[in-house]
Amino acid sequence: MPHKEQADRDPDTGTQADRSDDPGSVDRPVGRHRARPVPESGRVRSGLRSLLSSGPVRFGSVAALACCLGVAVFVESRAATTPAEPAPSASLLAERAAEVQRDPASRATERVPAPTPSATATPTPSQPTARPTVARTQVTRAKRSPVRPSPVAGLTQAQMDNAHTIVQVGLKMDVPRRGLVVAIATSMQESNLYNLASGVLPESLDLPNQGVGYDHDSVGLFQQRPSSGWGTVADLMRPAYAAERFYEALLAIPGWQDMSVTGAAQAVQISAFPDAYAQHEGRATTVVGALV
């Protein structure tokens, strides 16, 4: 076999090479029909190609790839459909800017410590609410304010108030009831129970009054004359003072309680019309009965 012999010869020397008894020796020349050893990396790639070339593996790979693509599409569509948070509108920004301008102290660098609340600042259950407090204050004021008596015997409220003052002064001075009637009847005749100034005394016009009289320099509820020593114009224009001076003069008359209302009034006033007081005795009695 010439071909075989030629193959067995040494290509460099042309002589026949020695054969080894070990068929797996690495020193033996590689023949034409012997496969070359495959590297490790090549084996891995070859194995992958073989694995991917199989039908079940290709199907599983395609399914996994489709699943990944579906998840990506779902996430992208979800992100596209999620509404983004709207940016603040211009009106909202303007409103916030206005709040900052209205409250510049909150942006100031200096801070003033808040005052420590007092112990009574915090309402307790025992403290009354605002409404009952107001009501209680109103009741207290009503108690302090004098109650104005209702008019009787055809008097006005101003006349009744003056009569009430005359009676209260007499009660403080322990004047008997008959003396109160004499005083009311006298004031009815002299000034019709009004505190009158005098047109003759200009200074009396500057004082609180309820009208003007022109009987000489007579002033006040009892038309007492400063020139006769009853007192100053300012004093006699005060109803309480005028009533006190009248009672003092009445109590100084001996036996006044045994006199008629007209006689007792005339003894004090020394009027040019002494009988005029009698006409007021009935109404004066009614007024005193309403006030005492």
Side-chain angles (χ1 to χ4, degrees):
M1 297 178 65
H3 296 284
K4 185 176 180 181
E5 293 177 356
Q6 187 177 0
D8 294 337
R9 293 180 182 274
D10 188 348
D12 296 332
T13 59
T15 61
Q16 187 175 0
D18 296 334
R19 297 190 178 190
S20 174
D21 296 334
D22 187 4
S25 175
V26 295
D27 295 335
R28 185 177 181 179
V30 178
R32 292 183 300 175
H33 303 287
R34 184 180 298 272
R36 294 180 178 273
V38 180
E40 188 66 24
S41 59
R43 294 178 182 178
V44 173
R45 287 195 298 270
S46 176
L48 290 175
R49 283 195 297 270
S50 300
L51 182 63
L52 294 175
S53 62
S54 62
V57 173
R58 283 200 304 269
F59 177 78
S61 300
V62 172
L65 180 60
C67 181
C68 294
L69 291 176
V71 172
V73 171
F74 173 77
V75 171
E76 183 177 2
S77 62
R78 182 66 179 272
T81 56
T82 302
E85 183 178 357
S89 61
S91 60
L92 180 59
L93 295 177
E95 181 179 354
R96 292 178 180 175
E99 291 178 356
V100 173
Q101 293 179 358
R102 287 195 300 267
D103 189 15
S106 61
R107 304 295 185 268
T109 56
E110 298 180 358
R111 292 291 184 269
V112 178
T116 303
S118 59
T120 58
T122 303
T124 59
S126 60
Q127 293 179 348
T129 57
R131 187 177 298 275
T133 301
V134 174
R136 183 172 58 187
T137 303
Q138 293 176 352
V139 170
T140 304
R141 291 178 180 176
K143 289 182 179 179
R144 293 179 180 178
S145 301
V147 179
R148 302 181 69 181
S150 300
V152 295
L155 301 181
T156 65
Q157 187 64 59
Q159 290 173 311
M160 195 67 182
D161 292 341
N162 290 331
H164 180 258
T165 300
I166 295 172
V167 170
Q168 291 299 312
V169 172
L171 293 176
K172 290 180 181 179
M173 297 177 65
D174 294 330
V175 176
R177 187 185 187 95
R178 185 169 179 81
L180 303 180
V181 175
V182 171
I184 295 297
T186 301
S187 181
M188 285 181 173
Q189 174 60 32
E190 298 292 347
S191 65
N192 197 21
L193 279 175
Y194 285 114
N195 190 28
L196 300 179
S198 174
V200 180
L201 301 173
E203 58 181 308
S204 66
L205 300 175
D206 297 330
L207 299 172
N209 62 83
Q210 297 170 324
V212 180
Y214 294 92
D215 184 7
H216 300 88
D217 59 343
S218 302
V219 294
L221 290 176
F222 295 91
Q223 290 292 283
Q224 296 156 331
R225 301 179 64 180
S227 61
S228 299
W230 287 94
T232 64
V233 176
D235 288 338
L236 296 176
M237 289 292 294
R238 293 190 294 114
Y241 180 85
E244 183 178 353
R245 292 305 308 273
F246 177 85
Y247 286 127
E248 290 175 352
L250 178 64
L251 296 176
I253 299 174
W256 69 270
Q257 297 188 43
D258 297 331
M259 298 179 183
S260 63
V261 172
T262 300
Q266 176 62 20
V268 175
Q269 296 295 107
I270 310 176
S271 171
F273 306 94
D275 298 331
Y277 301 104
Q279 61 182 327
H280 305 290
E281 183 175 354
R283 295 176 64 211
T285 303
T286 302
V287 172
V288 172
L291 296 173
V292 177

